[in-house]
Amino acid sequence: MNARSEAGGGYSRARQAPAPPPGSGGSGRTGTGAGFQTMWRELAAVGRDSGSGGYRRYAWTPADTDCRAWFRAQAEDRGLAYETDRNGNQWAWLGDSAAGDAVVTGSHLDSVPDGGAFDGPLGVVSAFAAVDELRARDVRPHRPLAVVNFGDEEGARFGLACVGSRLTAGRLAARDARELRDADGVTLAHAMERAGYDPDAIGADPERLARIGAFVELHVEQGRALDLDGHPVGVASAIWPHGRWRFDFRGQANHAGTTRLEDRHDPMLTYAETVLAARARARTSGALATFGKVAVEPNGVNAIASLVRGWLDSRAADEDTLAEVVAGIEQAAREHGARDGVSVEVVRESFTPVVEFAHDLRDRLAALIGADTPVPVLPTGAGHDAGILASAVPTAMLFVRNPTGVSHSPAEFAAEDDCAAGVTALADVLEGLACR
Ligand code: GLV
Ligand code: MN
Ligand code: MN
């Protein structure tokens, strides 16, 4: 237990405004059960922006602290042993946490800017609901069970995804993590400290990982495969390799009303051509390439920009294709930059190799939840803590149908009955792995 304090969590049940449970529109259908719905309502108000309707739960901010307080309350309400690890990840244990061969489930509670309600929280809420379900079934785990909330999964504030799990798995050096900076220049170390955690203690935690026999993350699907297949729940096969690259386009600030077109060094033009090139390269390679974040200096309506900084997120089914796509986009950026009199610098900020989930665990999950109907087994282009842990621990994922496929948006959605099917599937998996 490394947290200096959990203080500052403004989470309190009394002040939560009611919000409808997933997909129900308040219809009163029974789907997920009272425990799930109560948890969902409590969490629904935390970090929600009233203007956009989306979530802004960034690492080590007050909204994140509120989510953490909520997690701790759920653990304590159930009599689970609560702890935070040296990297700020939260754990709720049923059984002896030191015994080893534990079955762990959970996800994350932080969000992207104006994210949806399901990406992350569905996995954590379903994990607690599945523990409740095991108790209702009166089955006793003979392996330790834990619910986990991994910190800073989305990387929305410090630019690097899955910081909590990366640190734990030794995939991110403590020194590098401490130096990550947010848009205001605040280091991760300082932000952690302000939230009451000790940044000097962060780092690889092999002893903790050695006590885990299996990790299962339930997540809302971030595509439409299950909807098209007509299944409420699926099992993950793999995660595409993916990464983030920062493109700095430097030109010359100048007057928008007096500078002849021939005399301009406008990085916005080079940026725009690069965005188009990214789309074209991704399309021809069957990959994905997105510029979703951009910063402009001086950012004046009547000034040609001096700097456009754009972040590329690119993903593909295999690492060679991904490398080719990114190299092609970089080449296009440099060619257009040379034409526009704009310099181009490209920095890879993060990279996650392809993840193939443990086949035996994946097959076990499919068998445990697919006794009546075969369960779809599908790859995803989205990153997850499960993908990071897979290098150290047998890991698997369950997906819950998302009828529109929309994610990282307030429109993200899963129907209540599908959430209920997810909880049942997760409880079946936990029972199969830990209780038999
Ligand atoms: C996380 O959700 C990611 O895929 O970027
Ligand atoms: Mn996400
Ligand atoms: Mn997620």
Side-chain angles (χ1 to χ4, degrees):
M1 170 91 182
N2 176 50
R4 285 182 184 154
S5 92
E6 296 274 314
Y11 163 77
S12 96
R13 288 191 170 148
R15 99 180 156 77
Q16 305 306 314
S24 71
S27 70
R29 283 182 297 131
T30 47
T32 42
F36 184 103
Q37 297 199 25
T38 303
M39 286 189 276
W40 199 262
R41 278 198 190 90
E42 286 178 347
L43 207 44
V46 180
R48 187 178 201 172
D49 180 74
S50 56
S52 69
Y55 289 94
R56 299 178 181 178
R57 296 169 175 160
Y58 310 141
W60 311 117
T61 60
D64 186 46
T65 302
D66 285 359
C67 287
R68 290 168 174 277
W70 175 87
F71 183 97
R72 182 175 189 155
Q74 296 308 314
E76 290 174 352
D77 281 358
R78 287 169 175 77
L80 304 175
Y82 172 80
E83 61 173 346
T84 54
D85 65 25
R86 30 201 299 229
N87 297 307
N89 306 308
Q90 297 181 291
W91 302 77
W93 288 93
L94 176 64
D96 180 2
S97 64
D101 202 26
V103 178
V104 178
T105 184
S107 189
H108 61 96
L109 294 174
D110 68 313
S111 79
V112 296
D114 289 330
F118 295 80
D119 177 356
L122 184 64
V124 178
V125 169
S126 298
F128 282 119
V131 169
D132 295 345
E133 171 69 16
L134 292 185
R135 285 173 162 167
R137 291 180 190 178
D138 203 19
V139 289
R140 285 181 198 287
H142 56 76
R143 296 166 72 175
L145 260 182
V147 178
V148 65
N149 167 32
F150 281 111
D152 199 3
E153 193 270 354
E154 297 286 9
R157 181 170 176 193
F158 295 102
L160 179 65
C162 300
V163 168
S165 56
R166 271 184 212 272
L167 280 166
T168 303
R171 300 268 302 274
L172 169 64
R175 192 180 54 249
D176 296 342
R178 282 193 281 268
E179 285 307 312
L180 290 169
R181 279 174 201 274
D182 71 8
D184 297 322
V186 177
T187 62
L188 182 131
H190 190 52
M192 272 187 95
E193 205 157 26
R194 278 209 305 229
Y197 290 78
D198 178 5
D200 291 334
I202 64 174
D205 201 347
E207 296 82 13
R208 177 169 294 274
L209 292 180
R211 287 187 268 128
I212 303 175
F215 174 58
V216 180
E217 179 171 359
L218 178 147
H219 206 279
V220 67
E221 197 201 347
Q222 295 168 293
R224 290 193 58 216
L226 291 174
D227 186 55
L228 296 171
D229 250 20
H231 284 87
V233 177
V235 174
S237 57
I239 298 181
W240 282 15
H242 53 281
R244 297 178 182 186
W245 289 261
R246 197 186 77 224
F247 282 59
D248 286 352
F249 303 91
R250 285 180 201 279
Q252 186 183 50
N254 213 331
H255 198 295
T258 59
T259 315
R260 296 186 325 144
L261 296 181
E262 299 75 21
D263 293 340
R264 297 180 180 211
H265 301 283
D266 186 349
M268 193 63 83
L269 283 186
T270 323
Y271 171 67
E273 295 284 5
T274 305
V275 173
L276 295 176
R279 166 59 81 96
R281 296 276 172 175
R283 194 188 306 110
T284 52
S285 306
L288 298 166
T290 308
F291 279 94
K293 176 176 170 178
V294 63
V296 180
E297 290 176 16
N299 212 19
V301 180
N302 54 356
I304 297 162
S306 57
L307 169 72
V308 176
R309 178 167 280 163
W311 280 265
L312 170 70
D313 175 311
S314 191
R315 311 179 188 219
D318 62 81
E319 290 175 22
D320 287 348
T321 305
L322 179 57
E324 271 167 36
V325 168
V326 175
I329 297 168
E330 182 171 343
Q331 187 191 346
R334 292 194 190 287
E335 284 170 7
H336 285 288
R339 211 172 305 157
D340 301 334
V342 165
S343 74
V344 178
E345 189 192 351
V346 182
V347 177
R348 189 177 87 173
E349 292 197 334
S350 70
F351 181 75
T352 307
V354 66
V355 173
E356 185 76 27
F357 288 115
H359 287 197
D360 47 351
L361 185 60
R362 179 193 77 190
D363 294 347
R364 184 102 192 267
L365 257 61
L368 284 167
I369 66 177
D372 303 327
T373 343
V375 175
V377 177
L378 42 132
T380 177
H384 300 284
D385 295 308
I388 303 297
L389 285 209
S391 60
V393 168
T395 297
M397 290 191 75
L398 294 176
F399 290 129
V400 171
R401 172 164 54 194
N402 173 345
T404 62
V406 172
S407 187
H408 286 185
S409 147
E412 186 174 83
F413 178 76
E416 186 186 356
D417 287 349
D418 289 350
C419 294
V423 172
T424 302
L426 184 58
D428 290 347
V429 164
L430 298 181
E431 183 178 343
L433 295 179
C435 308
R436 285 191 208 136

